[in-house]
């Protein structure tokens, strides 16, 4: 992932607040930050959708959502391995929650109406690390494309 992109996201938001290591919301946000930046083109629409997803999925106010995203972006910048984010999610979330994370990933990569090869590979890799079955990955994408 482009370090420049992560720097931009982190810079747009105020300094990342501290969240406990392994906070599943921060882990999910880090994956979402990666997802919108993997193609090298981050749009306002993608950033807005990211914020909306974090607010809705974790039932938090906009300010806390921004803090979670900032912390996720900061951790994404420091990390070299996706398992830094998938392991905390697997420890905390039930299978339906893991499917929800993959659904959020499809949501952000499809916000511009198309999925680039790098984006698709990223979502599949994360989904596999989360243990989400292939049939569910395909079904989630189709639901998002039809929405």
């Amino acid at each position: 992932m482009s370090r420049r992109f992560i720097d931009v996201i982190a810079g747009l938001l105020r300094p990342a607040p501290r969240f406990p290591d392994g906070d599943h919301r921060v882990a999910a946000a880090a994956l979402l930050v990666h997802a919108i930046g993997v193609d090298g083109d981050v749009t306002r629409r993608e950033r807005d959708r990211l914020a909306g997803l974090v607010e809705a999925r974790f039932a938090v106010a906009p300010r806390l959502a921004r803090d979670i995203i900032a912390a996720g972006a900061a951790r994404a910048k420091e990390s070299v391995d996706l398992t830094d984010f998938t392991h905390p999610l697997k420890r905390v979330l039930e299978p339906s929650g893991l499917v929800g994370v993959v659904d959020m990933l499809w949501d952000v990569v499809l916000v511009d109406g198309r999925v680039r090869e790098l984006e698709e590979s990223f979502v599949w890799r994360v989904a596999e690390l989360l243990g989400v079955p292939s049939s569910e990955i395909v079904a989630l994408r189709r639901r998002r494309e039809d929405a």
Side-chain angles (χ1 to χ4, degrees):
M1 158 118 56
S2 163
R3 291 285 177 213
R4 181 180 164 282
F5 162 71
I6 294 172
D7 290 340
V8 168
I9 291 291
L12 289 175
L13 306 167
R14 56 198 161 85
R18 292 295 306 161
F19 287 90
D21 287 340
D23 186 308
H24 72 284
R25 300 169 308 170
V26 174
L31 292 171
L32 291 165
V33 166
H34 271 294
I36 67 172
V38 75
D39 65 358
D41 181 29
V42 180
T43 67
R44 174 80 173 162
R45 194 169 169 193
E46 288 170 323
R47 289 190 307 267
D48 290 346
R49 187 65 190 141
L50 169 69
L53 284 171
V54 171
E55 287 175 36
R57 186 66 64 157
F58 301 121
V60 297
R63 183 179 176 142
L64 182 54
R66 286 190 305 270
D67 289 348
I68 292 167
I69 294 165
R75 294 208 182 144
K77 184 177 178 179
E78 299 166 356
S79 178
V80 295
D81 192 345
L82 292 175
T83 60
D84 291 344
F85 309 116
T86 58
H87 281 272
L89 292 168
K90 287 175 72 173
R91 277 194 305 270
V92 173
L93 299 178
E94 298 292 325
S96 63
L98 299 172
V99 168
V101 171
V102 175
D103 189 42
M104 292 184 343
L105 291 169
W106 280 128
D107 193 332
V108 296
V109 300
L110 281 161
V111 77
D112 60 3
R114 64 181 178 166
V115 178
R116 292 176 179 89
E117 187 176 334
L118 286 173
E119 293 170 324
E120 183 168 4
S121 291
F122 178 79
V123 174
W124 274 89
R125 177 72 180 131
V126 170
E128 289 169 351
L129 288 169
L130 292 174
V132 175
S134 299
S135 59
E136 190 68 34
I137 300 166
V138 171
L140 289 167
R141 179 179 176 171
R142 285 188 182 138
R143 272 198 298 267
R144 285 289 166 196
E145 288 175 327
D146 293 341

